[in-house]
Amino acid sequence: MRIAFEISYDGTNYCGWQNQKNGISCQQILEEALKKLFNKKTNLIASGRTDAGVHAKGQIAHFDCQTTIPPEKIALAINPLLPDDIQVLKSYLVKEDFHARYGAKQKTYEYAFYISPVKVPVFERYATRIDGADLDKMQSCCDTFVGTHDFKCFLASGSKVKDTVRTIFDARVFVDGDFLRFRVTGNGFLYNMVRIMAGTIVAVAQDKLTVNDVEAALFSGDRNAVGKTAPAKGLTLLSVKYE
Amino acid sequence: MRIAFEISYDGTNYCGWQNQKNGISCQQILEEALKKLFNKKTNLIASGRTDAGVHAKGQIAHFDCQTTIPPEKIALAINPLLPDDIQVLKSYLVKEDFHARYGAKQKTYEYAFYISPVKVPVFERYATRIDGADLDKMQSCCDTFVGTHDFKCFLASGSKVKDTVRTIFDARVFVDGDFLRFRVTGNGFLYNMVRIMAGTIVAVAQDKLTVNDVEAALFSGDRNAVGKTAPAKGLTLLSVKYE
């Protein structure tokens, strides 16, 4: 039977979601726990990779297994085999043709900032410090993201992906207690796309770029015409939706 | 001249504020950095101790020094000598009779909870998981704290402090994004007092205790009549006020 996991992880100590030669990945930790639980090598397929240091609140992944444990209890069974910074929030039975990666229709990411002239240790783990903000300008920048566009200018340079057209359903900035959050929902994201968007929003807030510059960059596809790639630690994959 | 620091630290990796034989304290890290900066042993006095694992957003501490660095620049000078999880947010000149501990008139602590059937790694560092909540009951419990009371029942058993009367100016629970926060302001707090208050609020929300039980405990002074001591990690010293 095919099981889906909703997974949360603190990415600080991992080389990212995907197995790599150097460093320990979230996938590796989870696959090792699945192997212990089912006494069998189990391949776990996620909705997509997350970079080193990126966090997840609701990553989705699937795997196949044969077990007498009821699907919704597998989360409870595997969590004691996992470290505190990677836990399964939910497990549930899915159809045999469910695919965590190819079936994903919508993903929501959040990038967190906090405003301070100096680093605040209790905010640093999940957010990036900025000196100031201008919510109206930042939201105007977000507005340019919404819709179906060629997001080539928001693709990490060096990436070889060919189809750079994606649809952004929603993009907004809002104040949430001590944090300023940039939340974006789309049908998919290019490598580093949300982090470059976050860096671009900050550049617009700081008058280093105008909203017109960002619109022009969407046409030109020039990576150098938008902002820097914001640090990984501020980014969290919030949720993934399927049909 | 006497200088005050506003300090933030992530307490996860420390044995608390105060120097101890076992473990590394925040005080020790800061005093070592001060020694490097001023080339002289410098004693740092905080508004009060925080326990192992407790965080601070705005701990206040003072020290005496002779330096040509302008007071407000000392923070910038010392921060590069400090680890990322302890940073000085502000430094400023205070009067010679300023005393971070004896002069403190008001302290505000916050205890953070999140509601989930399972542990969520990205919430675990600064908050404690609870299964459910009842905001009205929790606020009613908070209301019993407000005022000048003998808080003996909220004192860690074994503590030898004699005067257990404190004044609580404000105590409230509120939803803040994914968190449920208990924020309490008083003229001072007994050892473990906020953590026991937090545990008591949860016991009331879970119908293990009634608000009447809490009121009765304030009269009887019986530590066993109130809730458990909530884990250190959920507690943050928010601010300290002086005259």
Side-chain angles (χ1 to χ4, degrees):
Chain A
M1 58 188 184
R2 185 157 286 189
I3 300 292
F5 272 175
E6 183 184 337
I7 304 160
S8 171
Y9 44 85
D10 178 322
T12 310
N13 299 320
Y14 298 97
C15 69
W17 167 264
Q18 199 170 57
N19 288 338
Q20 285 187 22
K21 281 180 193 170
N22 305 318
I24 296 166
S25 71
C26 300
Q27 185 186 4
Q28 176 189 340
I29 297 285
L30 282 151
E31 287 182 345
E32 282 168 7
L34 285 167
K35 193 180 174 186
K36 272 186 206 159
L37 189 64
F38 298 129
N39 226 338
K40 193 180 167 187
K41 190 177 185 302
T42 305
N43 190 23
L44 189 63
I45 296 165
S47 71
R49 306 177 191 185
T50 53
D51 288 347
V54 171
H55 315 289
K57 168 75 173 49
Q59 170 71 288
I60 304 291
H62 80 262
F63 61 95
D64 295 319
C65 69
Q66 283 183 307
T67 178
T68 55
I69 307 171
E72 68 279 8
K73 300 282 184 196
I74 297 175
L76 298 175
I78 201 168
N79 278 337
L81 308 175
L82 291 168
D84 281 348
D85 54 5
I86 302 179
Q87 292 277 293
V88 177
L89 306 186
K90 260 186 211 168
S91 54
Y92 48 97
L93 188 69
V94 288
K95 288 186 186 166
E96 269 178 39
D97 64 349
F98 175 91
H99 196 284
R101 184 170 172 201
Y102 301 126
K105 295 291 175 208
Q106 198 171 301
K107 283 186 191 175
T108 299
Y109 278 96
E110 203 167 81
Y111 198 95
F113 299 103
Y114 70 94
I115 301 169
S116 168
V118 289
K119 269 195 277 188
V120 180
V122 290
F123 298 157
E124 274 285 307
R125 196 168 180 97
Y126 302 112
T128 294
R129 188 188 70 78
I130 50 175
D131 285 313
D134 181 319
L135 250 79
D136 288 339
K137 281 184 194 165
M138 292 169 111
Q139 185 57 52
S140 297
C141 181
C142 283
D143 294 343
T144 68
F145 301 155
V146 178
T148 300
H149 303 289
D150 183 340
F151 284 100
K152 199 180 162 193
C153 66
F154 292 104
L155 172 65
S157 48
S159 173
K160 282 168 189 164
V161 66
K162 277 177 185 168
D163 179 12
T164 51
V165 174
R166 296 289 184 278
T167 299
I168 298 300
F169 304 116
D170 191 48
R172 59 184 68 192
V173 289
F174 58 99
V175 175
D176 176 27
D178 295 310
F179 299 99
L180 183 69
R181 299 190 188 276
F182 160 51
R183 189 179 288 180
V184 58
T185 301
N187 67 347
F189 292 89
L190 304 171
Y191 184 55
N192 276 357
M193 180 165 155
V194 183
R195 290 168 58 189
I196 300 171
M197 282 175 159
T200 301
I201 289 169
V202 172
V204 168
Q206 295 172 339
D207 291 323
K208 289 177 186 166
L209 286 175
T210 66
V211 172
N212 283 344
D213 292 337
V214 179
E215 278 174 346
L218 277 169
F219 280 99
S220 71
D222 181 5
R223 168 69 189 89
N224 296 317
V226 292
K228 289 180 192 168
T229 307
K233 62 173 186 165
L235 185 62
T236 301
L237 171 58
L238 277 193
S239 60
V240 188
K241 281 196 181 166
Y242 297 85
E243 259 176 12
Chain B
M1 59 187 181
R2 185 157 285 190
I3 300 291
F5 272 175
E6 183 185 338
I7 304 159
S8 169
Y9 44 86
D10 178 323
T12 310
N13 298 321
Y14 298 97
C15 68
W17 169 264
Q18 199 170 55
N19 289 339
Q20 286 188 21
K21 281 180 191 170
N22 304 317
I24 297 165
S25 71
C26 300
Q27 185 187 3
Q28 176 188 340
I29 298 284
L30 282 151
E31 287 182 345
E32 283 168 7
L34 284 168
K35 195 179 173 186
K36 272 185 207 161
L37 188 64
F38 297 128
N39 228 336
K40 194 180 169 188
K41 190 174 183 304
T42 306
N43 190 25
L44 190 62
I45 295 165
S47 70
R49 307 176 189 186
T50 53
D51 288 347
V54 171
H55 316 288
K57 167 75 173 53
Q59 170 71 288
I60 304 291
H62 79 263
F63 61 95
D64 295 320
C65 68
Q66 283 184 306
T67 177
T68 54
I69 308 172
E72 67 280 6
K73 301 281 185 196
I74 297 175
L76 298 175
I78 201 169
N79 279 336
L81 307 175
L82 291 168
D84 282 348
D85 54 5
I86 302 179
Q87 293 277 293
V88 178
L89 307 186
K90 260 186 211 168
S91 55
Y92 48 98
L93 187 70
V94 288
K95 288 186 185 166
E96 270 178 40
D97 64 350
F98 175 90
H99 196 284
R101 184 169 169 203
Y102 300 126
K105 295 292 175 209
Q106 198 172 302
K107 283 185 191 178
T108 298
Y109 278 96
E110 202 168 78
Y111 198 96
F113 299 102
Y114 69 95
I115 301 167
S116 166
V118 289
K119 269 195 278 188
V120 180
V122 291
F123 298 157
E124 274 285 307
R125 197 170 180 96
Y126 302 112
T128 294
R129 188 186 71 77
I130 50 175
D131 285 313
D134 180 319
L135 250 79
D136 288 340
K137 282 185 193 164
M138 292 169 111
Q139 185 58 51
S140 296
C141 182
C142 284
D143 293 343
T144 69
F145 302 155
V146 177
T148 300
H149 303 288
D150 183 341
F151 284 101
K152 199 181 163 196
C153 66
F154 291 104
L155 172 64
S157 47
S159 173
K160 282 169 192 163
V161 66
K162 279 179 184 164
D163 179 11
T164 51
V165 174
R166 297 288 184 278
T167 299
I168 299 299
F169 304 115
D170 190 49
R172 58 183 68 193
V173 289
F174 57 98
V175 175
D176 176 27
D178 295 309
F179 299 99
L180 183 68
R181 300 190 188 274
F182 160 51
R183 189 179 289 180
V184 59
T185 301
N187 68 347
F189 292 89
L190 304 170
Y191 184 55
N192 276 359
M193 181 166 156
V194 184
R195 289 168 59 189
I196 301 171
M197 284 176 158
T200 300
I201 289 170
V202 171
V204 168
Q206 294 171 340
D207 291 323
K208 290 177 185 167
L209 286 174
T210 66
V211 173
N212 284 343
D213 292 337
V214 179
E215 279 174 346
L218 278 168
F219 280 98
S220 70
D222 181 5
R223 169 68 190 90
N224 296 316
V226 291
K228 288 179 192 168
T229 307
K233 63 173 184 164
L235 185 62
T236 301
L237 171 58
L238 278 193
S239 60
V240 188
K241 280 195 182 167
Y242 297 85
E243 258 176 14

